[in-house]
Amino acid sequence: MATDALNSRKAAAVAALAVAGISLTSIPAAAHTGAGIRRPASPGADVRVAAAPGVPELPDGLSARSWMVSDADTGDILAAKAPHRRLPPASTLKTLFAVTALPKFPAGSVREVSAEDLEGVGDGSSLVGVEEGERYRVADLWRGVFLRSGNDAVHVLASMNGGWDATAQEMQKTARKLGARDTTVKSPDGYDTPGQLSSAYDLTVFARAGLANPDFAQYCATASARFPTRDGVTQIVNTNRMLAGSHGLTPYPGIIGVKNGYTTHAGNTLIAAARRDGRTLLVTVMNPRSGEYNAVYKEAGSLLDWGFESVGKARPIDALRTVRSAPEGRTAIAPESRAVRRPLATGTRGTTGTITTVTAKADRGTSKNSATALWSGGVGALALALAGTLAWRRHGRRRGGPPEGDA
């Protein structure tokens, strides 16, 4: 019995050391202060970017409260500032609305708009001009959502989807299926609502999932389109200035979407995707604080420039949570033991690439300091060590600024 007790204590000690070693070495590099990680002082102490030969310094003048640069094909995160910081998303949340509802209705189906469809459109909302009693194709409504960020079009589509509250609940479920844990949906159109929050990480996940749908990719890449009115048609222009090339900006080289937003509470928000030399990058920027005109677009553009110079050189700091397409256009977490390849639609020209999901687990503590990470790792190690000891014993017994988008 004494020998058994001694063996049990030895096994527990070995298990604790082994698990602690695994836990500590699994802490993301940013939790350590060793060489190889560059933490630029100017953008803020919560910036993470891996140093590697040939990787340029991050651009100057980054004032956003949160941002992230990622490779849409591989899911690699190249650099980020507080990517899990929960902030109001404004109309960038419409990407989640589209991922949730767009696959359900044929583009050519027609909806006659009722008064009930337009109930509850918030004061000051951006509108595309949907009118009660008129008939609209679903494709026209989606163009109203993506180009003009029309909350009136969102309300009609949400009515088709079972109602406003039901759509918000379904969007919340979709976010969780995609592995987006920072998002709380209160209003499907992104209108300022108490408690409605998302993050640069989650918005990037939504955009990446959306770009795998050719219809989503085509809508978000459209710079201008014709929209029906009672008097005929009118021309609508995308409020994404980086795409449309408006308000003193030229279209960003290789731009393929995705969505911009603005509310008083959220400030300016933007998810931008661009493709060059066979690489598709995603940049999400939330609430620049510089006050500079077109700040959200300029900061996104500079981050895209940095990303294209760095991709293939920078060691990823993290990876987007693994996702794959599921039946009826829905999405789900893919098994971590498998890599899944799926087509990445890239806009109106019909060119395609691929999204390769990755097996690395997402770091949900990127903005936490090393002490917190070490403490959490220690607790996890202890719990696993105790579990290992119990299993060993059982085994032994068995054996014996100004608006820059929309509102």
Side-chain angles (χ1 to χ4, degrees), residues 39-212:
R39 289 174 171 262
S42 54
D46 50 356
V47 170
R48 294 183 62 206
V49 54
V55 175
E57 294 288 334
L58 285 171
D60 294 329
L62 297 176
S63 67
R65 298 178 69 187
S66 174
W67 54 261
M68 193 167 84
V69 183
S70 61
D71 186 326
D73 299 309
T74 64
D76 290 342
I77 299 173
L78 306 179
K81 174 183 177 181
H84 291 287
R85 184 172 186 174
R86 303 181 75 219
L87 297 166
S91 287
T92 51
L93 192 64
K94 289 182 171 77
T95 55
L96 176 59
F97 172 69
V99 168
T100 302
L102 194 155
K104 294 185 176 185
F105 309 107
S109 60
V110 175
R111 174 77 167 189
E112 182 173 341
V113 176
S114 67
E116 290 77 13
D117 288 345
L118 297 175
E119 283 183 356
V121 176
D123 294 337
S125 287
S126 53
L127 305 172
V128 68
V130 175
E131 298 182 77
E132 178 186 346
E134 295 299 304
R135 293 165 59 84
Y136 299 89
R137 292 188 309 151
V138 164
D140 291 323
L141 293 172
W142 281 115
R143 280 188 280 269
V145 171
F146 278 94
L147 275 69
R148 298 301 301 171
S149 207
N151 289 359
D152 48 357
V154 174
H155 272 259
V156 175
L157 289 163
S159 292
M160 296 172 62
N161 192 55
W164 196 247
D165 293 338
T167 298
Q169 292 170 13
E170 187 179 358
M171 287 170 64
Q172 189 71 70
K173 291 178 181 178
T174 300
R176 295 298 179 262
K177 289 178 182 178
L178 287 167
R181 305 290 176 179
D182 304 322
T183 298
T184 301
V185 180
K186 299 291 185 180
S187 182
D189 56 5
Y191 192 81
D192 277 344
T193 306
Q196 180 154 273
L197 299 167
S198 191
S199 68
Y201 178 95
D202 283 12
L203 293 173
T204 301
V205 167
F206 304 151
R208 185 176 184 236
L211 287 172

Side-chain angles (χ1 to χ4, degrees), residues 318-341:
D318 206 337
L320 296 171
R321 191 175 292 269
T322 305
V323 298
R324 67 178 178 185
S325 297
E328 300 180 1
R330 298 174 187 271
T331 51
I333 302 300
E336 292 189 353
S337 60
R338 298 170 56 190
V340 182
R341 295 182 67 84

Side-chain angles (χ1 to χ4, degrees), residues 84-400:
H84 291 287
R85 184 172 186 174
R86 303 181 75 219
L87 297 166
S91 287
T92 51
L93 192 64
K94 289 182 171 77
T95 55
L96 176 59
F97 172 69
V99 168
T100 302
L102 194 155
K104 294 185 176 185
F105 309 107
S109 60
V110 175
R111 174 77 167 189
E112 182 173 341
V113 176
S114 67
E116 290 77 13
D117 288 345
L118 297 175
E119 283 183 356
V121 176
D123 294 337
S125 287
S126 53
L127 305 172
V128 68
V130 175
E131 298 182 77
E132 178 186 346
E134 295 299 304
R135 293 165 59 84
Y136 299 89
R137 292 188 309 151
V138 164
D140 291 323
L141 293 172
W142 281 115
R143 280 188 280 269
V145 171
F146 278 94
L147 275 69
R148 298 301 301 171
S149 207
N151 289 359
D152 48 357
V154 174
H155 272 259
V156 175
L157 289 163
S159 292
M160 296 172 62
N161 192 55
W164 196 247
D165 293 338
T167 298
Q169 292 170 13
E170 187 179 358
M171 287 170 64
Q172 189 71 70
K173 291 178 181 178
T174 300
R176 295 298 179 262
K177 289 178 182 178
L178 287 167
R181 305 290 176 179
D182 304 322
T183 298
T184 301
V185 180
K186 299 291 185 180
S187 182
D189 56 5
Y191 192 81
D192 277 344
T193 306
Q196 180 154 273
L197 299 167
S198 191
S199 68
Y201 178 95
D202 283 12
L203 293 173
T204 301
V205 167
F206 304 151
R208 185 176 184 236
L211 287 172
N213 181 325
D215 292 329
F216 182 110
Q218 182 175 19
Y219 290 133
C220 80
T222 303
S224 64
R226 292 157 64 88
F227 189 81
T229 68
R230 283 178 178 169
D231 300 324
V233 294
T234 187
Q235 193 78 5
I236 57 174
V237 177
N238 203 310
T239 57
N240 182 348
R241 300 176 187 180
M242 182 176 277
L243 175 69
S246 61
H247 298 78
L249 295 176
T250 57
Y252 183 83
I255 189 74
I256 58 172
V258 176
K259 189 73 187 76
N260 60 311
Y262 172 83
T263 66
T264 304
H265 191 46
N268 289 290
T269 58
L270 175 68
I271 313 166
R275 187 166 182 81
R276 292 188 204 165
D277 301 323
R279 294 275 194 171
T280 301
L281 298 187
L282 280 163
V283 165
T284 300
V285 177
M286 302 188 75
N287 198 359
R289 310 297 288 171
S290 69
E292 183 180 0
Y293 187 61
N294 284 329
V296 74
Y297 301 105
K298 291 178 180 178
E299 294 188 23
S302 66
L303 286 168
L304 281 169
D305 288 343
W306 177 88
F308 282 116
E309 290 183 44
S310 304
V311 68
K313 304 173 186 175
R315 183 173 68 250
I317 61 169
D318 206 337
L320 296 171
R321 191 175 292 269
T322 305
V323 298
R324 67 178 178 185
S325 297
E328 300 180 1
R330 298 174 187 271
T331 51
I333 302 300
E336 292 189 353
S337 60
R338 298 170 56 190
V340 182
R341 295 182 67 84
R342 58 196 171 105
L344 170 63
T346 56
T348 56
R349 294 187 180 181
T351 57
T352 59
T354 58
I355 287 179
T356 304
T357 57
V358 294
T359 58
K361 295 182 180 178
D363 167 28
R364 300 197 44 79
T366 53
S367 62
K368 295 181 180 180
N369 59 28
S370 59
T372 303
L374 288 169
W375 184 89
S376 300
V379 172
L382 178 60
L384 289 172
L386 290 174
T389 302
L390 289 174
W392 184 90
R393 287 181 175 175
R394 292 191 184 107
H395 181 64
R397 286 169 183 166
R398 286 195 299 272
R399 296 182 58 193

